[in-house]
């Protein structure tokens, strides 16, 4: 699999290899923090020179013959960012000032919205440096707008683009973090976050990931106008964490294990929202995390303000200040189980005694109120009033696949699980 550690592509959600295939507009793409730059098919002159160079009985090579001429034009792609100016965008695309001014006045350009990917071919070198050949962008779900040189001016046209859904298969081994592994394998953030959701009832992604843990994932990508636009739903995934292997496939309304068990638990394993920021923070501060035995709870180091979520449906039993706990929320989930969230900087909207909460609702923000030396969440899980280790307490699961749906589930899930096995096998083979 991919071993490069290049910076993330300029277009979130797209991996470099996909871009290379999305070559409707570009001959080859160099992805990175900077724009993709590509040379255009050789001009007649270039072809002539290459043909000469291919003749075997050549005189000693002269430097000027050995050098390829600079491309006559190039294509760049840029994302129109929030807060961007049109002038800034056109400058990044390499469009000369005259054409940039002409573009700014056009109705089609005023429709450009932040987030749009804009591609342009401009002339390189000589007196026509920066002259626009054409510019295209995905205007909406329906079409691609194209503005091109027509005589001495510019002309615009629009064509419908086709939306296509494809399936991607990727596999990764964790060395430092889930996102680090995803980056190395070219897996978009939205897919990593879905993995954390799918397996979040079984694995605490803030505390339980270890070097050598690995995962494989099959997910959809939505293509538009010949290029990948964004990642879609995870169809199936497996996760091997500390020797424990978990598998899940999407079916109907949720994710289910091969035997039909629901991956969703009545209570989430972690109260902390998983994100690129919070996961990196947890890694960095790992020694800070105290063991459960020491003080009847687990501490999650996280940036101040990180969202804390209710691990399950319930009723707020307490929300207020309480000694060393600082700002504290206690939620009763059922007759036996309660959870407590301490040192909060602020409470979630509507979080007060007696309020009803649903799993995933915001109970507050990470802070350091009470006895806390730095921003962190102190989390307790109590069963029948006694503290239990939240990492090991068994959690009740949601309803499994209905008996009469099992055949349909197997028919859908088994080919996906087979793909995962293949992926995992090839990954292990590549490492050995
Ligand atoms: Zn604590």
């Amino acid at each position: 699999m991919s071993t490069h550690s290049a910076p993330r592509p300029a277009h979130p959600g797209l991996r470099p290899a996909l871009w290379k295939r999305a070559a409707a507009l570009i001959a080859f793409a160099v992805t990175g923090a900077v724009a993709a730059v590509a040379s255009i098919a050789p001009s007649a002159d270039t072809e002539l020179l290459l043909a000469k160079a291919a003749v075997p009985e050549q005189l000693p090579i002269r430097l000027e013959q050995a050098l390829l001429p600079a491309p006559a034009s190039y294509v760049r792609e840029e994302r129109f960012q929030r807060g961007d100016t049109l002038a800034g965008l056109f400058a990044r695309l390499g469009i000369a000032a005259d054409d940039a001014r002409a573009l700014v006045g056009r109705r089609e350009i005023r429709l450009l919205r932040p987030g749009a990917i804009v591609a342009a071919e401009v002339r390189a070198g000589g007196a026509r440096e920066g002259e626009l050949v054409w510019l295209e962008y995905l205007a909406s779900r329906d079409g691609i707008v194209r503005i091109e040189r027509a005589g001495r001016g510019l002309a615009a046209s629009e064509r419908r683009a086709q939306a296509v859904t494809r399936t991607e298969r990727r596999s990764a081994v964790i060395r430092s973090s889930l996102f680090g592994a995803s980056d190395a394998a070219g897996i978009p953030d939205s897919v990593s976050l879905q993995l954390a959701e799918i397996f979040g009832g079984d694995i605490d992604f803030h505390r339980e990931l270890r070097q050598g843990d690995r995962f494989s994932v099959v997910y959809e990508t939505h293509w538009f106008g010949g290029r990948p636009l964004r990642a879609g739903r995870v169809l199936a995934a497996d996760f091997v964490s500390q020797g424990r292997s978990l598998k899940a496939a999407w079916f109907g309304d949720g994710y289910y294990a091969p035997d039909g068990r629901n991956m969703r638990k009545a209570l989430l394993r972690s109260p902390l929202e998983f994100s690129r920021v919070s996961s990196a923070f947890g890694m960095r501060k790992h020694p800070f995390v105290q063991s459960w035995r020491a003080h009847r709870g687990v501490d999650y180091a996280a940036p101040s303000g990180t969202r804390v979520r209710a691990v399950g449906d319930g009723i707020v039993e307490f929300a207020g200040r309480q000694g060393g706990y600082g700002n504290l929320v206690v939620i009763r989930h059922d007759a036996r189980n309660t959870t407590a969230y301490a040192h909060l900087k602020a409470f979630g909207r509507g979080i007060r005694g007696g309020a009803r909460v649903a799993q995933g609702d915001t109970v507050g923000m990470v802070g350091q109120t009470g006895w806390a030396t730095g921003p962190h969440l102190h989390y307790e899980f109590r069963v029948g009033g006694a503290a239990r280790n939240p990492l090991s307490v068994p959690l009740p699961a949601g309803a499994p696949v209905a008996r009469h749906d099992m055949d349909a589930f197997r028919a859908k899930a088994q080919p996906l699980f087979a793909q995962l096995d293949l992926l995992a096998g090839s990954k292990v083979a590549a490492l050995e």
Side-chain angles (χ1 to χ4, degrees):
M1 293 308 303
S2 170
T3 52
H4 73 101
S5 59
R8 294 186 70 70
H11 311 288
L14 312 176
R15 62 190 177 82
L18 281 182
W19 267 121
K20 285 176 193 153
R21 266 189 267 145
L25 298 172
I26 47 183
F28 76 90
V30 182
T31 50
V34 289
V37 179
S39 61
I40 283 304
S43 67
D45 287 355
T46 326
E47 278 165 11
L48 205 62
L49 186 135
L50 289 170
K52 274 185 199 156
V55 176
E57 298 113 54
Q58 274 284 336
L59 294 170
I61 292 169
R62 302 215 317 265
L63 188 60
E64 61 268 32
Q65 284 182 328
L67 292 174
L68 285 174
S73 64
Y74 53 85
V75 174
R76 281 185 183 158
E77 292 204 346
E78 285 286 340
R79 187 176 284 270
F80 185 44
Q81 314 274 8
R82 194 164 293 283
D84 228 350
T85 62
L86 287 172
L89 172 72
F90 294 148
R92 292 204 302 281
L93 289 166
I95 299 170
D98 281 358
D99 280 344
R101 267 195 299 278
L103 284 170
V104 168
R106 296 193 68 96
R107 183 189 61 84
E108 303 82 16
I109 290 297
R110 289 200 296 271
L111 298 175
L112 200 56
R113 292 287 169 265
I117 296 166
V118 182
E121 181 182 350
V122 299
R123 298 212 179 277
R128 299 169 77 184
E129 170 84 44
E131 185 185 271
L132 183 71
V133 181
W134 54 258
L135 174 146
E136 285 192 346
Y137 69 92
L138 299 170
S140 63
R141 291 199 156 272
D142 307 320
I144 294 174
V145 167
R146 181 180 174 92
I147 298 173
E148 61 195 321
R149 186 151 299 282
R152 306 188 68 178
L154 299 171
S157 58
E158 189 164 348
R159 66 175 189 274
R160 291 189 71 80
Q162 218 190 341
V164 180
T165 298
R166 296 185 190 174
T167 306
E168 284 297 321
R169 298 163 188 82
R170 308 252 96 194
S171 199
V173 175
I174 293 171
R175 304 197 189 287
S176 62
S177 72
L178 178 62
F179 286 105
S182 301
D183 288 352
I187 296 169
D189 280 11
S190 68
V191 169
S192 308
L193 292 170
Q194 286 182 69
L195 290 175
E197 287 284 311
I198 295 165
F199 297 108
D202 293 285
I203 301 171
D204 179 342
F205 277 81
H206 285 99
R207 299 172 51 94
E208 292 187 292
L209 293 191
R210 296 290 181 270
Q211 193 171 19
D213 286 357
R214 57 183 200 272
F215 60 93
S216 303
V217 58
V218 180
Y219 60 95
E220 291 178 329
T221 54
H222 300 297
W223 290 60
F224 188 68
R227 61 189 63 207
L229 198 60
R230 62 186 168 81
R233 172 175 286 150
V234 168
L235 299 177
D238 68 13
F239 215 106
V240 180
S241 176
Q242 301 181 61
R244 186 166 59 133
S245 176
L246 299 160
K247 267 195 179 71
W250 172 260
F251 183 67
D253 60 349
Y255 290 91
Y256 298 87
D259 62 1
R261 268 183 307 119
N262 199 326
M263 295 304 289
R264 193 171 51 78
K265 303 291 188 285
L267 301 174
L268 298 169
R269 194 54 81 177
S270 169
L272 206 60
E273 182 174 61
F274 190 77
S275 72
R276 184 172 275 273
V277 173
S278 68
S279 69
F281 196 87
M283 285 290 167
R284 210 164 58 235
K285 297 272 187 154
H286 216 266
F288 174 76
V289 173
Q290 297 178 9
S291 76
W292 170 76
R293 280 169 219 287
H295 67 311
R296 313 263 99 190
V298 288
D299 289 338
Y300 292 87
S304 179
T306 301
R307 204 169 74 86
V308 176
R309 55 195 189 170
V311 296
D313 298 352
I315 290 169
V316 176
E317 203 170 67
F318 179 85
R321 196 118 186 148
Q322 197 180 103
Y325 283 119
N327 289 328
L328 172 74
V329 173
V330 179
I331 297 173
R332 170 160 297 283
H333 300 289
D334 50 43
R336 288 171 56 74
N337 298 323
T338 57
T339 51
Y341 314 78
H343 307 314
L344 300 174
K345 175 186 183 173
F347 299 103
R349 187 191 298 246
I351 297 296
R352 62 181 79 84
R356 222 162 244 294
V357 290
Q359 185 179 70
D361 281 358
T362 304
V363 301
M365 309 297 167
V366 169
Q368 56 181 104
T369 56
W371 301 336
T373 53
H376 75 284
L377 172 70
H378 171 97
Y379 173 60
E380 290 181 19
F381 196 110
R382 298 170 188 154
V383 180
R388 294 280 298 275
N389 184 348
L391 291 181
S392 58
V393 67
L395 302 176
V401 174
R403 193 182 289 261
H404 62 267
D405 281 337
M406 269 313 279
D407 284 347
F409 171 67
R410 286 203 193 91
K412 191 166 177 228
Q414 268 167 2
L416 292 167
F417 288 137
Q419 290 179 35
L420 290 173
D421 290 344
L422 267 173
L423 273 170
S426 61
K427 186 77 189 178
V428 169
L431 289 170
E432 283 164 358

